């Protein structure tokens, strides 16, 4: 008889306490066959010992969780195709290790924007873009670097037009996030003045901004809270979106429902994660996933939130306090050299909010096939009209973080395997990356697809003679200073 994960757990739960010792050898044998390589345990027998102790001290929930880990390791360490043999999923070939969802990740992600739109790129003085990167090349590897690489991509893209009269969209290449502290953190305080200066320049040199007040223009604003230009939510809300951008389409990493820093019609994109660096850390595809839950990052931000509770709305602090000693949870503030490899050995990767609801962990999880556990209430995820986030991820309310162990261990293995097949879809991974050179269906092309789906522009986009919607003097006084 062969025990699968779902069958094994209830079988063990039915064992009476005085007979548990008798079956430890049985589970030790089963676990040794699973090729479990979790660094928390020196052997499969140790895992059973810990399971018994946890069961005695803390009840059966911990025991079930540990056995679930063992079962998953057994199933997920084998090729996914064989683990899913016999599964009937519409539209999926049985011999493939991937799955696609027709009409969503199957079709929309594979759209080709070429021929569907034309983009005119304003030729700005280099002080707005190239000179900034020359001065501080660290910007090329920052999580906000999408603004730089989008510019480079469009310069050689087939959608570019040199004739502004035939353009559907106008793009202003201004690098507002490339102002870093010595520690590499972005300073958003000059960004509003820089953006206003660039808009004044294009409105004085070309007539196209003034025809629409920017309604047929798009800007890449990958700050923590987009065009609110601040890394702390309270201050970002107080600032609001830069008034001059309120008719433009914003391409931004920040997305949260019913938030003043997300205007209707914005295109939400993934943060930048270095594709070449990630490629260099790929492990063999049959690497066992022997870590159940993985996270590396801050739990508290004492420098900016000395009293605690404000950073990550307390969700990260709750993670640490509830699970720092749980053997299922490999969580720490350390950032080891094997970070990318560890993600490829994990079943679930936590993606909690920080100061903003998004982070590069989401990109890393998808690329490395680790099921993202998204802990950020009301988050709007990248390319949500094309990527089936509900199908590939797990969503946990911030208030439910203390129950995270129960939530994850209760997910049926069949659901986990399906999420992994979907994550293995190359189109899913490509859509999250900004590679150089660009590739079909990558994040660059998904942005263009999003812009193409907004065409044709409504007649109300174009201003009537004398009509104005924007005020050059609106906004905080500090933003009005010259840049």
């Amino acid at each position: 008889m062969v025990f699968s994960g779902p069958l094994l757990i209830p079988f063990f739960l039915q064992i009476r306490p005085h007979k548990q010792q008798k079956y430890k050898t049985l589970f030790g044998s089963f676990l040794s066959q699973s090729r479990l390589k979790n660094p928390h345990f020196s052997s499969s027998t140790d895992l059973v010992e810990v399971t018994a102790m946890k069961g005695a001290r803390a009840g059966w929930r911990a025991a079930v969780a540990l056995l679930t880990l063992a079962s998953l390791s057994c199933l997920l360490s084998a090729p996914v195709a064989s683990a899913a043999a016999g599964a009937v999923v519409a539209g999926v070939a049985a011999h493939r290790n991937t799955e696609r969802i027709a009409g969503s990740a199957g079709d929309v992600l594979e759209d080709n924007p070429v021929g569907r739109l034309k983009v005119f790129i304003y030729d700005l003085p280099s002080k707005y873009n190239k000179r900034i990167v020359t001065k501080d090349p660290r910007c090329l590897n920052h999580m906000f670097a999408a603004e730089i690489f989008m510019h480079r991509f469009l310069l050689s893209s087939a959608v570019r037009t040199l004739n502004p009269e035939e353009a559907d969209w106008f793009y202003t290449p201004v690098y507002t996030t490339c102002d870093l502290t010595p520690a590499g953190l972005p300073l958003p305080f000059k960004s509003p003045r820089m953006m206003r200066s660039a808009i004044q320049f294009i409105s004085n040199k070309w007539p196209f901004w003034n025809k629409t007040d920017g309604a047929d223009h798009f800007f890449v604003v990958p700050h923590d809270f987009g065009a609110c230009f601040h890394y702390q939510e309270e201050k970002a809300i107080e600032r609001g979106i830069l008034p001059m951008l309120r008719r433009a389409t914003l391409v931004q990493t920040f997305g949260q429902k019913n938030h003043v820093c997300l205007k209707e019609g914005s295109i939400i994109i993934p943060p930048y994660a270095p594709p070449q660096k990630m490629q260099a850390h790929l492990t063999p595809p049959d690497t066992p996933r022997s870590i159940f839950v993985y996270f590396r990052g801050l739990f508290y931000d004492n420098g900016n939130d000395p009293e605690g509770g404000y950073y990550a709305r307390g969700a990260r602090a709750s993670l640490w306090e509830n699970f720092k000693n749980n053997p299922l949870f490999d969580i720490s503030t350390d950032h080891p050299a094997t970070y990318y490899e560890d993600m490829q050995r994990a079943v679930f990767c936590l993606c909690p909010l920080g100061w903003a609801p998004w982070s590069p962990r989401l990109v890393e999880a998808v690329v490395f096939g680790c099921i993202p556990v998204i802990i950020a209430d009301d988050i709007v995820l990248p390319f949500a009209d094309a990527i089936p986030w509900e199908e590939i991820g797990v969503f946990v309310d911030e208030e439910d973080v203390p129950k995270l162990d129960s939530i994850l261990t209760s997910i049926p293995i069949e659901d986990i395997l399906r999420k992994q097949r979907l994550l293995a879809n190359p189109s899913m991974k490509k859509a999250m990356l900004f590679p150089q050179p660009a590739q079909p269906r990558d994040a660059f092309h998904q942005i263009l697809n999003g812009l193409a789906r907004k065409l044709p522009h409504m007649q109300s986009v174009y201003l009537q003679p004398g009509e104005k919607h924007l005020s050059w003097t609106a906004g905080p006084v500090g933003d009005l200073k010259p840049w």
Side-chain angles (χ1 to χ4, degrees):
M1 181 177 182
V2 177
F3 287 98
S4 66
L7 290 175
L8 176 64
I9 294 169
F11 170 77
F12 191 79
L13 286 174
Q14 293 171 17
I15 301 173
R16 295 183 181 276
H18 70 278
K19 292 187 177 181
Q20 289 166 10
Q21 183 67 34
K22 175 181 177 181
Y23 288 95
K24 286 166 65 177
T25 303
L26 167 64
F27 287 108
S29 175
F30 174 83
L31 294 171
S32 66
Q33 295 175 29
S34 73
R35 294 184 289 159
L36 187 65
K37 297 180 180 178
N38 192 318
H40 289 306
F41 307 101
S42 59
S43 70
S44 56
T45 304
D46 289 342
L47 178 56
V48 178
E49 294 285 355
V50 173
T51 301
M53 289 188 293
K54 293 292 289 186
R57 288 200 308 264
W60 280 110
R61 177 172 294 172
V64 171
L66 286 167
L67 285 169
T68 303
L69 171 60
S71 304
L72 287 171
S73 298
C74 176
L75 287 173
L76 302 181
S77 61
V80 176
S82 62
V88 179
V89 183
V92 182
H95 67 280
R96 295 185 63 187
N97 295 348
T98 66
E99 183 174 334
R100 58 182 276 170
I101 300 178
S104 182
D107 296 333
V108 181
L109 286 179
E110 297 178 11
D111 283 349
N112 185 354
V114 176
R116 300 169 58 207
L117 77 165
K118 293 183 179 181
V119 177
F120 178 77
I121 304 172
Y122 287 119
D123 185 15
L124 300 185
S126 63
K127 70 175 184 178
Y128 291 103
N129 41 59
K130 297 176 184 177
R131 191 191 304 172
I132 300 174
V133 178
T134 301
K135 179 181 177 181
D136 193 344
R138 292 179 301 168
C139 298
L140 293 168
N141 294 305
H142 202 277
M143 62 182 175
F144 297 157
E147 63 182 1
I148 300 171
F149 292 110
M150 188 67 189
H151 181 202
R152 294 183 177 184
F153 162 71
L154 285 172
L155 286 172
S156 58
S157 171
V159 306
R160 183 187 183 187
T161 178
L162 300 179
N163 179 7
E165 297 292 343
E166 66 175 16
D168 300 297
W169 290 99
F170 295 84
Y171 169 61
T172 308
V174 52
Y175 302 167
T176 58
T177 67
C178 192
D179 183 13
L180 307 180
T181 68
L185 300 175
L187 292 171
F189 311 116
K190 298 178 184 177
S191 301
R193 289 187 288 135
M194 183 180 183
M195 183 68 79
R196 283 177 54 87
S197 174
I199 294 173
Q200 286 177 325
F201 180 83
I202 65 172
S203 66
N204 290 332
K205 185 172 181 179
W206 292 275
F208 308 105
W209 175 273
N210 300 314
K211 289 182 178 180
T212 66
D213 268 355
D216 55 355
H217 290 56
F218 71 93
F219 294 82
V220 181
V221 283
H223 274 282
D224 289 285
F225 289 92
C228 288
F229 295 123
H230 208 286
Y231 63 89
Q232 291 184 336
E233 184 174 22
E234 186 176 280
K235 294 180 180 178
I237 292 174
E238 183 181 338
R239 288 188 54 84
I241 292 173
L242 186 71
M244 296 309 299
L245 295 176
R246 288 179 180 168
R247 278 176 61 85
T249 290
L250 303 181
V251 179
Q252 60 185 60
T253 47
F254 172 75
Q256 183 173 317
K257 298 174 185 175
N258 304 314
H259 199 285
V260 299
C261 298
L262 177 64
K263 68 185 293 290
E264 185 179 359
S266 298
I267 297 175
I268 309 302
I269 63 172
Y272 178 78
Q276 289 83 357
K277 182 179 178 181
M278 299 175 78
Q279 179 73 27
H281 288 267
L282 286 176
T283 62
D286 60 347
T287 300
R289 292 194 177 270
S290 54
I291 300 172
F292 193 57
V293 180
Y294 187 76
F295 176 77
R296 290 293 184 273
L298 290 177
F299 297 98
Y300 303 91
D301 188 346
N302 296 324
N304 294 298
D305 182 26
E307 296 182 4
Y310 186 65
Y311 176 62
R313 297 196 284 258
R316 292 199 187 195
S318 180
L319 275 172
W320 180 249
E321 297 303 328
N322 283 282
F323 303 112
K324 59 186 174 183
N325 295 319
N326 189 317
L328 281 181
F329 283 67
D330 190 344
I331 61 176
S332 171
T333 57
D334 297 335
H335 202 288
T338 58
Y339 173 71
Y340 283 155
E341 287 81 359
D342 291 345
M343 292 189 83
Q344 294 168 82
R345 295 173 51 239
V347 177
F348 296 104
C349 289
L350 302 183
C351 302
L353 73 162
W355 283 113
W358 60 271
S359 82
R361 291 179 190 84
L362 189 67
V363 177
E364 296 160 350
V366 171
V367 170
F368 291 135
C370 185
I371 298 170
V373 180
I374 299 160
I375 307 171
D377 294 352
D378 296 323
I379 189 172
V380 179
L381 291 162
F383 309 131
D385 58 342
I387 293 179
W389 290 106
E390 294 284 348
E391 300 284 346
I392 65 175
V394 175
F395 289 79
V396 177
D397 291 343
E398 293 165 25
E399 66 178 9
D400 289 336
V401 167
K403 300 182 287 187
L404 189 57
D405 55 346
S406 300
I407 292 170
L408 296 181
T409 57
S410 66
I411 299 174
I413 290 179
E414 292 83 358
D415 291 354
I416 292 174
L417 291 173
R418 183 168 188 266
K419 290 178 187 295
Q420 291 193 321
R421 290 196 301 273
L422 290 170
L423 285 168
N425 184 338
S427 292
M428 204 81 69
K429 301 177 187 298
K430 284 184 178 181
M432 299 297 286
L433 294 174
F434 296 90
Q436 297 85 51
Q439 301 173 7
R441 300 187 294 279
D442 62 15
F444 299 117
H445 290 85
Q446 301 310 322
I447 293 172
L448 294 182
N449 282 334
L451 293 169
R453 287 194 284 271
K454 294 179 178 294
L455 298 175
H457 294 299
M458 297 177 62
Q459 192 58 38
S460 59
V461 162
Y462 304 98
L463 303 181
Q464 299 298 317
E467 181 183 4
K468 285 290 179 184
H469 291 270
L470 303 178
S471 170
W472 286 98
T473 59
V477 175
D479 292 355
L480 307 182
K481 297 177 181 179
W483 177 75

